[in-house]
Amino acid sequence: MKIICLGNYPPRQCGIATFTENLVKAILAAAGLHSIETDIEVIAMNDRDNTYDYPGIVTQTIADQNLQAYVDMAERINQSGAGVLLVQHEYGIFGGNSGLFLLSLLRKVKIPVVCTFHTVLEKPGFHQLEVLTRMAEYASKVVIMNKIAIDFLVRIYHVPIEKIVLIEHGTPDFEALASQLEPAPDLWSGRKVMMTFGLIGRSKGIETVIRALPVITHKHPDLLYVILGKTHPNIVKYSGEEYRQYLQQLVCDLGMEQYVVFMNEYVSEIRLMSLLRSADVYVTPYLNKAQITSGTLSYAVSSGCAVFSTPYWHAESLLEDERGWLFGFGNHQELASLVSDAFSNPRLMQSRRQKAANYGKTISWPKTGFAYLQLFENLNSNHGVKGSRTTNYPLFDVSHLIRLTDDTGLLQHAHGMLPAYRHGYSLDDNSRAMLVVITAYKHDPQPVYLDLLIRYFAFLRLMIQKNGQVRNYLTFDRQQLEDDCSDDAYGRAVWALGYLIRYAPNDALFQTAMESFHKMIPAMSRISYARGYANCMFGLFHYTRRFPDQEQFLSLISEVAEVLCHRFEQHSRENWDWFEDALTYDNGLIPAALYVAFSVTSRPKYLAIAEKSRLFLETKCFRNDWLSLIGNKRWLRFDSEYELFAQQPIDAMAMMMLYKSAHLATGEPSHIQQILRCYDWFLGNNDLNISVFDTETKGCNDGIEPGSINRNQGAESTIAWLLARLIANPYLP
């Protein structure tokens, strides 16, 4: 069996690197002991363009911030002949927000994947939740090291319980290696030694122990507190040795200099084991309960130290059944009392030390290595392929739309989920919001939809000018802007009015919509751009569905279609079958408009150009198995390269409109599948492999950036999501 392990690896100095090295050695040792032919290669993560002098077992490296490197590495893994990919996951070691670049690798890997989750949060942020959920979907099995994590994974991340395997954090076999252990440092001779070790940072809470020392040393003046470990490299990079200096100053302020030793070292495994075996007490004073795994705590328990810890999740589990003592977060008085009493009661201390050591024997590295080996063998026999993404389709929900709506209308922008009042309102958004609530009311006539429709329609009428043109923007203090003419806003208003005329929920709205629609139509001759005409086409289409005998509007559909065809003929050339000299935004609406025109007129010319332009657009937007939109940082001009980011929800919705219109015109079933592929863009089947829809707020994030999701949830994005949900609804399982 060949195994590829992905994670950090020494000489990089971090807990994941140490764990990965120990686990790899344990798996190989277990394989040798049980005569199972096993080969392991390691792919190591390099941070911030750093490189390390890795041992031979490391055959490949990935620069953590290089997204393409993850994609390339997936192909190497597929060609390696390996039977399983073992991923060591911690949020801080992979690129992108919360390590989301890793998802691009997992999506491409074709062999079974096992993920070890070193952190499982009870209250994850948006990116943290999405990343771990996606990882679990791609994995055949996920390994956790604390039983508490099982509930979190099932309840919060929706991981099937049959995917979850509990294998506790491995620890050294102290008895087997006893002959290799080193004597205690001379300074420790004749002292009661209390110890803390690991990479140092503010979250470790070491000041709690230092503040407890005056009380402990008063009763036990022979105490020595040893702080072993270097400052975490990331902390050194941004804050230097500020925390260590703070601790040293605190020692001086309390007059504890003779009782504290700082060992600023990153020690070997044998050296660490030797120091733990020589210590009497071990303390983990961490400040955060949300720590699911602590390797330092596991090592201390196995060494037979008397262990004192704050009640973070792993400590609560590992120290149960009187294998140690728990004290409150930051409570140095309680720690001082417990330690002093334990030293004064040697029989109690020895009893708990023995219980801890006995438990440690059950989680030694040899046992951990064999547990992983058994998992891999069972995986190969019962799960021949890796897991795959599953899609859970959220229900239609307008709660965020309501959140962005006030008495005037729909506000344009948001800061996170909060309405951004200072940006005011736009006709664009209010017109498209009318499409949402009209459709929703048509399928489910709830009063809330009618109430929203009235607000948005009233705003639309406010923005219509005497000459039938429109203004797009209204400030929050209800001031219209001068020279604010927009083809897009005009076309979207025509679309909304035509749709309202077709599906008006009552006569009063119908009559007002008719008045507004006919007032606006003469201004259509002033449109200059293709998207303005395309938006108008949908309004004209819906109007003629209500009034199929009105020749004037049937002729107007043909006129608009001819304009689009003329633009196509003007700009089309070799390798460029499009209506303009660039692909920008809302691209899908333009060929969609010609499909709509064909469905009304049956003119082959409209269908031919619609098909040709659709196929061209697909060559740009479906270069992979998922929708990959043209980003707005730099548009695509002719055959030049373009920016993949930032991708926006409105463009995904426009692609859905394209396929809906194509299906209307041709009845071709493949267009339904394309509708669903585009819809899945919102739910994570995109270039970052992460959902754009927010299940908490019911809003839609504003787009996909190079390494994260834009967490603002403005009106355009949320409308795009709601329209997408309504378009997809008839075809969802």
Side-chain angles (χ1 to χ4, degrees):
M1 182 194 319
K2 181 175 181 180
I3 303 162
I4 291 181
C5 184
L6 172 63
N8 292 354
Y9 207 82
R12 184 171 174 179
Q13 295 182 358
C14 76
I16 301 297
T18 302
F19 178 91
T20 304
E21 180 183 39
N22 286 328
L23 178 58
V24 165
K25 289 179 177 178
I27 292 171
L28 289 172
L33 185 63
H34 294 87
S35 301
I36 301 172
E37 186 174 344
T38 303
D39 180 34
I40 298 182
E41 293 181 15
V42 173
I43 300 172
M45 297 302 305
N46 286 338
D47 56 321
R48 296 184 301 277
D49 298 322
N50 290 332
T51 57
Y52 301 90
D53 185 17
Y54 292 112
I57 197 170
V58 177
T59 59
Q60 304 282 346
T61 62
I62 297 176
D64 61 355
Q65 299 303 322
N66 184 346
L67 176 58
Q68 187 59 42
Y70 293 81
V71 177
D72 296 340
M73 190 59 68
E75 188 57 34
R76 293 180 188 174
I77 292 170
N78 291 336
Q79 297 174 2
S80 68
V84 63
L85 172 65
L86 174 61
V87 179
Q88 301 303 314
H89 177 261
E90 178 62 79
Y91 284 114
I93 68 177
F94 300 103
N97 195 322
S98 301
L100 64 83
F101 284 1
L102 176 61
L103 301 178
S104 295
L105 182 149
L106 296 180
R107 171 160 55 187
K108 292 281 190 178
V109 167
K110 297 178 181 178
I111 63 175
V113 175
V114 174
C115 295
T116 303
F117 290 161
H118 289 260
T119 295
V120 181
L121 300 172
E122 186 179 24
K123 296 180 179 179
F126 175 83
H127 287 88
Q128 293 167 331
L129 174 64
E130 286 291 321
V131 168
L132 213 67
T133 300
R134 302 289 180 210
M135 286 188 66
E137 289 174 346
Y138 284 126
S140 297
K141 294 287 183 181
V142 297
V143 177
I144 44 90
M145 292 177 270
N146 187 338
K147 60 188 179 185
I148 293 175
I150 296 174
D151 172 63
F152 294 170
L153 288 176
V154 172
R155 176 169 51 86
I156 301 166
Y157 301 87
H158 307 294
V159 181
I161 195 165
E162 60 271 16
K163 267 194 178 187
I164 304 169
V165 180
L166 173 63
I167 303 176
E168 292 201 57
H169 194 298
T171 64
D173 189 337
F174 282 85
E175 296 303 323
L177 298 173
S179 62
Q180 301 179 37
L181 299 184
E182 304 166 1
D186 292 340
L187 182 63
W188 294 19
S189 180
R191 308 287 293 268
K192 292 185 177 77
V193 177
M194 183 166 67
M195 181 178 170
T196 295
F197 85 88
L199 293 173
I200 291 176
R202 284 258 176 204
S203 63
K204 302 298 184 181
I206 294 171
E207 62 273 17
T208 303
V209 187
I210 293 173
R211 289 194 175 103
L213 291 178
V215 172
I216 301 173
T217 56
H218 178 73
K219 294 183 178 180
H220 303 279
D222 54 349
L223 181 80
L224 179 67
Y225 179 42
V226 177
I227 303 168
L228 169 62
K230 298 179 74 68
T231 303
H232 196 289
N234 289 340
I235 294 174
V236 171
K237 179 178 176 62
Y238 296 106
S239 303
E241 293 289 354
E242 179 270 338
Y243 181 57
R244 184 182 297 274
Q245 292 164 2
Y246 159 72
L247 295 177
Q248 290 170 335
Q249 185 61 50
L250 181 61
V251 169
C252 294
D253 291 345
L254 296 174
M256 292 289 107
E257 295 95 324
Q258 62 180 313
Y259 301 106
V260 181
V261 172
F262 288 88
M263 296 179 64
N264 190 4
E265 305 174 33
Y266 194 87
V267 297
S268 67
E269 184 93 341
I270 288 296
R271 173 74 167 153
L272 176 59
M273 293 171 62
S274 302
L275 294 173
L276 281 170
R277 265 297 171 92
S278 299
D280 301 289
V281 168
Y282 182 80
V283 187
T284 54
Y286 302 161
L287 299 176
N288 185 4
K289 189 175 188 66
Q291 181 155 337
I292 210 78
T293 305
S294 169
T296 61
L297 183 68
S298 297
Y299 273 46
V301 166
S302 292
S303 73
C305 280
V307 180
F308 296 78
S309 178
T310 49
Y312 55 91
W313 291 326
H314 195 199
E316 287 181 319
S317 175
L318 198 54
L319 298 184
E320 63 184 10
D321 298 330
E322 297 187 334
R323 290 191 288 266
W325 292 259
L326 297 175
F327 62 96
F329 294 105
N331 193 334
H332 64 274
Q333 297 97 333
E334 185 180 10
L335 173 62
S337 176
L338 290 174
V339 172
S340 298
D341 290 348
F343 276 127
S344 300
N345 191 342
R347 292 181 62 181
L348 174 63
M349 178 180 281
Q350 182 56 34
S351 171
R352 295 198 179 186
R353 292 181 68 168
Q354 190 61 54
K355 288 179 180 179
N358 290 342
Y359 187 79
K361 294 174 183 178
T362 69
I363 58 173
S364 64
W365 279 120
K367 290 181 170 59
T368 298
F370 186 55
Y372 271 89
L373 203 58
Q374 287 180 306
L375 173 59
F376 298 151
E377 288 201 304
N378 183 59
L379 189 72
N380 287 332
S381 60
N382 296 321
H383 301 272
V385 295
K386 75 183 184 79
S388 60
R389 278 202 59 235
T390 57
T391 303
N392 296 315
Y393 294 112
L395 298 175
F396 181 79
D397 189 323
V398 296
S399 56
H400 187 59
L401 192 68
I402 294 171
R403 193 178 294 127
L404 296 178
T405 302
D406 66 9
D407 291 339
T408 300
L410 180 63
L411 290 149
Q412 281 193 89
H413 298 301
H415 296 299
M417 66 176 285
L418 299 178
Y421 295 107
R422 70 184 181 90
H423 295 290
Y425 317 82
S426 78
L427 177 58
D428 273 340
D429 293 334
N430 281 269
S431 297
R432 287 180 291 206
M434 286 176 64
L435 302 178
V436 171
V437 293
I438 293 168
T439 307
Y441 190 85
K442 179 161 63 87
H443 294 294
D444 182 16
Q446 294 189 36
V448 63
Y449 302 142
L450 184 58
D451 180 60
L452 290 171
L453 171 58
I454 291 168
R455 296 192 204 189
Y456 303 147
F457 186 17
F459 182 89
L460 185 153
R461 283 181 53 81
L462 172 68
M463 304 305 285
I464 299 175
Q465 306 302 297
K466 290 181 179 179
N467 61 0
Q469 289 185 306
V470 298
R471 288 181 176 166
N472 192 22
Y473 297 108
L474 186 75
T475 64
F476 186 64
D477 58 357
R478 299 185 180 181
Q479 299 298 311
Q480 293 186 6
L481 303 180
E482 297 296 330
D483 300 320
D484 178 28
C485 298
S486 165
D487 280 7
D488 285 359
Y490 174 86
R492 287 164 184 155
V494 169
W495 183 355
L497 289 170
Y499 196 63
L500 178 56
I501 288 168
R502 183 178 181 184
Y503 294 114
N506 58 52
D507 184 67
L509 288 172
F510 169 76
Q511 295 296 341
T512 311
M514 287 285 288
E515 175 192 331
S516 302
F517 185 81
H518 286 279
K519 180 178 181 179
M520 290 186 66
I521 289 301
M524 193 177 297
S525 60
R526 296 190 178 97
I527 293 178
S528 302
Y529 298 102
R531 278 165 193 76
Y533 282 110
N535 280 288
C536 284
M537 180 70 80
F538 293 103
L540 296 172
F541 168 76
H542 289 297
Y543 183 89
T544 58
R545 282 297 181 262
R546 178 71 185 260
F547 300 106
D549 57 346
Q550 291 200 10
E551 291 294 332
Q552 173 192 351
F553 289 96
L554 292 172
S555 297
L556 195 50
I557 285 177
S558 295
E559 289 177 25
V560 171
E562 288 295 332
V563 170
L564 293 176
C565 290
H566 177 67
R567 288 175 180 269
F568 181 85
E569 291 159 356
Q570 275 187 314
H571 292 90
S572 180
R573 66 186 197 184
E574 186 179 1
N575 298 323
W576 190 262
D577 295 321
W578 198 243
F579 305 86
E580 300 168 319
D581 63 359
L583 283 169
T584 57
Y585 62 94
D586 255 0
N587 296 305
L589 292 184
I590 308 178
L594 285 179
Y595 278 118
V596 164
F598 172 76
S599 71
V600 174
T601 67
S602 299
R603 293 184 183 177
K605 175 183 177 182
Y606 303 159
L607 178 61
I609 293 178
E611 293 274 78
K612 200 170 185 179
S613 57
R614 171 182 63 82
L615 292 171
F616 169 72
L617 185 57
E618 287 179 346
T619 65
K620 307 303 179 183
C621 294
F622 285 100
R623 298 180 299 175
N624 297 294
D625 294 333
W626 55 88
L627 179 63
S628 184
L629 297 166
I630 294 165
N632 66 7
K633 185 174 182 182
R634 184 173 69 238
W635 304 127
L636 171 59
R637 297 189 178 277
F638 295 115
D639 269 342
S640 63
E641 286 299 312
Y642 62 94
E643 292 287 342
L644 197 59
F645 305 103
Q647 297 181 33
Q648 296 186 306
I650 195 67
D651 296 327
M653 190 278 291
M655 293 297 290
M656 294 181 69
M657 284 296 303
L658 167 58
Y659 291 112
K660 179 182 179 181
S661 302
H663 184 257
L664 171 71
T666 68
E668 173 58 48
S670 63
H671 294 315
I672 294 175
Q673 296 306 312
Q674 289 294 83
I675 287 173
L676 295 177
R677 287 178 76 189
C678 296
Y679 178 57
D680 282 346
W681 180 92
F682 290 91
L683 300 175
N685 197 20
N686 52 47
D687 283 298
L688 283 191
N689 211 353
I690 190 170
S691 180
V692 185
F693 173 66
D694 188 330
T695 56
E696 271 193 324
T697 67
K698 311 306 179 187
C700 183
N701 295 300
D702 276 354
I704 301 178
E705 304 292 345
S708 67
I709 295 296
N710 182 336
R711 293 287 283 128
N712 293 329
Q713 297 174 10
E716 180 180 273
S717 303
T718 294
I719 292 166
W721 156 253
L722 293 171
L723 283 172
R725 182 66 178 80
L726 291 168
I727 293 169
N729 191 62
Y731 314 113
L732 296 177

